[in-house]
Amino acid sequence: MGDDIKFHQQLLVIDENLGTEEVEALKFLCSDLLSFKKLEAVESAQDIFQHLMAKDLLNKEDTFILAELLYRIRCHFLLQKLGYTKETVQENLPWKGKVSRYRQMLYELSEDITSEDLKRAMFLLRDQLPKKLTNMSSLELLTCLEKQDHLAENNLEILEKICMDISPDLLKTVNKYKMERVSLAQQESSLPVKETASFSHHIPEGLFHSGGDVRLLTSSQETPIKSLGSNIYDSGSLREHAGSVHFIPARQDDKAVNVMQGISELSQEQPATMSNPQSKTEKLMTYKMDGPHRGYCLIINNFSFTGTLQKRRGSNKDAEMLAKVFTWLGLDVKTYTDKTSVEIKNLMQEWRSLTDHRDRDCFVCCILSHGELGLVYGTDEREVPIRTIMSYFTARQCPQLAEKPKLFFIQACQGKEIQQAVYIEADAQNPDLLPIQQLISPSESIPEEADFLLGMATVGGYASFRHIQHGTWYIQALCNKLQLLVPRGEDILSILTEVNEDVSKRADTLGKKKQMPQPAYTLRKKLIFPVPRSPPPSQQQ
C-alpha cells in the first residue's frame, strides 16, 4: 500500500510540473502506444498515465516508459522523481525504449518548424485539412495528416514535399530517418559484423577542450538555403562546452582569428578554476537560486534619438516581452525609456549601490538601442562602452552581487539602418562590414572576473534586425526560448545555444539578410532558473 501511494505521489508531482505544451508532446509520442480516440480525450498528463497503466506499460515496478517520455521532451529535471538520470535513460533506451524511431523523427521535425513555416504548411495543405481547423500546432498538424492517411511510417511523400516547399533544411531530419531505416534493414538481412570503433576513437585528442578555463564555440560554416518565406536555415550545428569564456561566432572565417586572440588574452588574465576539465562526466555546480528574492531586472529601452538615428520601431514590443518573461521568472523588473549616455551611467551607478542585492540571487540588465562595436548609444547619440556598463557590477564595485550571476543582454549592432523589404530594419549605424582588425569580440567587453554573462544580438561587424511590429529577432527568440526551456530545467547556456539556432534560421523576405547572436561568459557554474508555478506569459494570453 505504501509503495502504491508513493508511486501515485510521484505521478502527481510530475503532472503538476508539466504545462500544456509538454502534455501535447506526451500525447504525440504516445500515438503508437495508445489509440487516437483515447488521446483525443486527454486533458492532463495524469490522463496519459492512467491509459499507460491500463495497458500495463507503466506501473510502480517499471516506470521506464515515463522516464523515456520525459527524456524525449527534455524535461530532464523530472527524471530524478522516478530515480533516473539523463545518462541512465540513455543507457537503457536501446532495449527498453518504446517510442518508435518514426515517432521520434516526427517530434524532432515539429520542434524545428517555426510559426511561419507552420502557416505556410497549412496554406499548402488547405485542401487536405478540415475546414474548421484554422489554427493548430505543428504536432496537431502531423497528427491530422496521420489520421487522414496522408502520413505514415512508409508514406512520407507529402511530408517531404511540404518540407521542401517551406524549408528544405527540414528534409535533413526526414532523410536521416530514411537512411537509418535502410541501414537497419541491411543489418537485419546480413550476417553479424564486427562492431565498429566508437566515434570518440576518431576524435583527435584535445579537439573539444583546451587548457585552463577557456572554451570556444563555433557553428559550422554557414550554408544559406533558399526559402519561400521569411526564414532561412543554417546547416551548422552548435556544441556547448563548459568553461570560463564562451563564444559562438557565425562563420569559421578570418574573424575567428580575432576571436581566438581575444579569448587567449582573457585566459592569461584569469586563473583556471575548474578541476579536471577533460572529464566528460564531471558535473558543474549550479548557482544558488533559492533565496528570498530572485533579483532585479533592468530594461533600458531607447526608442527615440535626438540626432540622425532613426526611431527603433518595434523596440517597445521587445521591452514589453522582456518585462513579462523576467517577471514570470521571479525577478523584480524596472523599465526605463529613452535614456541619454549620462543617464545610463547614472542608472548603473544607482543600481550598483543598492543594498537590496544582498538578499537576491542574481542580476539582469537588458539594453535595447542603436550601437557600434563594443558600445551602445544613449538617446543623445553619445557612446557608452558595454564594458563600462558591466564594470559597475564587479565584486569590487558591487560587493552585494559578488559570486552571483550577472546577466547582460544587448540588442544593438554595428551599422546604419539598411533600407530593405517592408518590415525589416537594422539596429545599426553603418551597413558596411568593418575591417577584421577593427572587430571587437564580446570577451573584450566583459570585466576580467567571474560570474558575468553577455548576450549580444549579433557578432562583431554585422547588423541585427528588427521587425517594426513584432520586435527584434534576438529578443523575441530569447523570450520564446526562456519560456519553453526553463520549465524543462535547461541551464542558461543551453538556452542561449537554442536562441542562436532560432535566430540563425531567420532571414528577411528576400532570404538575403541573416543574423547570428554571440554570447560570451565567465560563469563558474550552471545557471538554472527555478521553474515558475504559473504558466509562461505566452500561455496566459
Side-chain angles (χ1 to χ4, degrees):
M1 181 65 71
D3 290 342
D4 288 336
I5 294 176
K6 181 180 178 182
F7 172 58
H8 285 91
Q9 285 177 335
Q10 290 173 327
L11 298 184
L12 181 61
V13 171
I14 292 173
D15 173 73
E16 290 175 345
N17 280 276
L18 295 176
T20 304
E21 290 185 4
E22 284 80 15
V23 173
E24 183 184 359
L26 291 179
K27 287 171 58 177
F28 184 80
L29 291 173
C30 288
S31 297
D32 299 327
L33 308 174
L34 304 172
S35 68
F36 282 132
K37 184 176 181 180
K38 288 182 178 179
L39 289 173
E40 283 178 349
V42 165
E43 295 182 352
S44 68
Q46 281 281 26
D47 294 338
I48 298 176
F49 302 159
Q50 291 293 339
H51 289 310
L52 292 174
M53 287 189 286
K55 295 194 67 172
D56 202 29
L57 292 170
L58 174 65
N59 54 65
K60 64 183 179 181
E61 284 83 21
D62 185 4
T63 60
F64 187 79
I65 179 61
L66 180 52
E68 179 187 3
L69 292 172
L70 294 175
Y71 170 82
R72 298 289 183 201
I73 65 174
R74 292 202 288 275
C75 286
H76 302 144
F77 71 105
L78 291 175
L79 292 175
Q80 60 182 340
K81 306 295 183 184
L82 300 172
Y84 285 96
T85 64
K86 179 180 175 181
E87 290 73 25
T88 56
V89 173
Q90 289 173 333
E91 291 172 2
N92 286 277
L93 277 177
W95 59 87
K96 296 186 69 175
K98 293 288 194 297
V99 180
S100 68
R101 183 66 190 93
Y102 163 72
R103 189 64 47 189
Q104 295 173 41
M105 178 273 292
L106 292 182
Y107 180 69
E108 182 181 342
L109 189 67
S110 74
E111 290 193 306
D112 290 334
I113 296 176
T114 67
S115 58
E116 291 298 322
D117 293 336
L118 183 59
K119 290 177 183 177
R120 292 199 294 275
M122 291 182 65
F123 176 78
L124 294 171
L125 292 167
R126 60 191 180 280
D127 295 332
Q128 284 78 27
L129 299 176
K131 301 300 181 184
K132 62 180 181 179
L133 295 179
T134 58
N135 187 24
M136 61 175 65
S137 68
S138 55
L139 290 177
E140 289 171 333
L141 175 62
L142 293 172
T143 299
C144 185
L145 291 175
E146 287 187 297
K147 289 181 178 179
Q148 297 185 340
D149 291 330
H150 294 312
L151 175 63
E153 190 169 358
N154 297 312
N155 180 16
L156 302 174
E157 290 182 8
I158 290 182
L159 179 64
E160 290 176 302
K161 185 178 186 306
I162 293 299
C163 288
M164 176 61 72
D165 288 340
I166 65 174
S167 177
D169 198 50
L170 293 172
L171 278 175
K172 290 190 296 184
T173 302
V174 181
N175 290 336
K176 179 182 176 183
Y177 162 71
K178 292 173 67 176
M179 291 177 64
E180 288 176 352
R181 284 189 60 196
V182 172
S183 176
L184 182 61
Q186 291 175 344
Q187 290 178 19
E188 291 175 346
S189 62
S190 62
L191 294 173
V193 295
K194 183 178 179 181
E195 185 179 14
T196 58
S198 66
F199 176 69
S200 61
H201 294 169
H202 300 285
I203 302 177
E205 183 178 358
L207 181 60
F208 289 130
H209 57 76
S210 59
D213 255 12
V214 183
R215 297 294 182 273
L216 172 68
L217 265 70
T218 61
S219 68
S220 62
Q221 187 161 346
E222 187 175 89
T223 305
I225 301 176
K226 186 177 181 181
S227 173
L228 295 178
S230 61
N231 288 283
I232 208 162
Y233 285 76
D234 186 342
S235 65
S237 61
L238 302 174
R239 297 288 186 266
E240 180 184 348
H241 305 282
S244 181
V245 181
H246 181 254
F247 284 96
I248 307 182
R251 303 169 182 260
Q252 292 183 6
D253 54 17
D254 292 342
K255 292 186 292 301
V257 176
N258 189 71
V259 173
M260 287 294 291
Q261 291 174 349
I263 295 177
S264 62
E265 291 170 3
L266 188 60
S267 66
Q268 294 172 5
E269 297 167 355
Q270 289 184 261
T273 57
M274 290 179 59
S275 60
N276 192 18
Q278 297 181 359
S279 173
K280 296 181 181 179
T281 59
E282 181 179 1
K283 294 186 177 179
L284 293 172
M285 297 175 60
T286 59
Y287 283 102
K288 181 178 180 295
M289 295 291 284
D290 58 358
H293 303 286
R294 188 75 63 239
Y296 287 108
C297 172
L298 308 188
I299 301 173
I300 298 178
N301 177 26
N302 281 353
F303 176 80
S304 298
F305 296 79
T306 58
T308 59
L309 292 177
Q310 296 184 16
K311 291 182 178 180
R312 299 183 61 256
R313 293 180 295 168
S315 185
N316 291 339
K317 182 73 173 180
D318 285 345
E320 176 186 337
M321 184 56 68
L322 284 169
K324 287 181 179 180
V325 170
F326 281 109
T327 297
W328 171 67
L329 290 175
L331 285 90
D332 297 315
V333 177
K334 179 65 175 176
T335 302
Y336 298 92
T337 303
D338 290 343
K339 294 300 175 182
T340 66
S341 58
V342 173
E343 288 173 333
I344 291 175
K345 293 176 182 178
N346 288 342
L347 278 174
M348 297 302 109
Q349 175 67 38
E350 175 185 340
W351 281 93
R352 77 111 176 260
S353 305
L354 198 67
T355 57
D356 283 1
H357 290 308
R358 190 181 307 277
D359 297 325
R360 299 179 185 265
D361 298 328
C362 65
F363 175 75
V364 177
C365 179
C366 307
I367 298 181
L368 318 174
S369 187
H370 287 297
E372 291 279 359
L373 286 170
L375 56 88
V376 295
Y377 283 115
T379 54
D380 56 353
E381 302 190 5
R382 292 184 178 274
E383 302 172 353
V384 183
I386 296 171
R387 187 183 184 95
T388 298
I389 293 172
M390 299 178 72
S391 65
Y392 283 96
F393 299 93
T394 61
R396 176 175 296 179
Q397 297 295 328
C398 184
Q400 294 86 357
L401 285 174
E403 300 186 357
K404 298 178 182 180
K406 296 162 278 282
L407 315 182
F408 291 79
F409 298 102
I410 309 295
Q411 171 55 51
C413 65
Q414 300 84 31
K416 193 171 184 178
E417 290 183 326
I418 302 171
Q419 299 302 316
Q420 49 191 345
V422 187
Y423 289 119
I424 301 295
E425 295 183 349
D427 255 352
Q429 172 86 346
N430 184 357
D432 298 322
L433 299 185
L434 296 180
I436 291 173
Q437 61 268 26
Q438 289 182 270
L439 297 180
I440 299 176
S441 65
S443 73
E444 297 173 37
S445 297
I446 294 184
E448 297 158 7
E449 63 169 66
D451 307 311
F452 278 89
L453 180 143
L454 171 61
M456 296 289 292
T458 183
V459 297
Y462 288 83
S464 62
F465 298 101
R466 173 173 30 85
H467 191 292
I468 65 174
Q469 293 178 346
H470 302 153
T472 59
W473 295 355
Y474 175 64
I475 295 299
Q476 293 303 309
L478 174 65
C479 291
N480 290 339
K481 293 302 180 182
L482 285 170
Q483 293 179 84
L484 176 65
L485 300 177
V486 165
R488 299 181 183 180
E490 297 285 355
D491 68 283
I492 190 64
L493 300 181
S494 298
I495 292 173
L496 289 180
T497 301
E498 292 280 345
V499 171
N500 274 38
E501 173 71 7
D502 184 303
V503 175
S504 73
K505 292 179 178 179
R506 305 189 185 210
D508 69 328
T509 53
L510 298 178
K512 294 182 178 180
K513 295 182 172 64
K514 297 190 66 178
Q515 180 180 332
M516 175 61 78
Q518 186 171 14
Y521 66 83
T522 58
L523 298 178
R524 298 172 295 112
K525 308 174 184 179
K526 282 191 175 182
L527 173 58
I528 302 175
F529 283 100
V531 179
R533 293 185 178 274
S534 60
S538 61
Q539 297 181 16
Q540 296 177 15
Q541 299 174 352

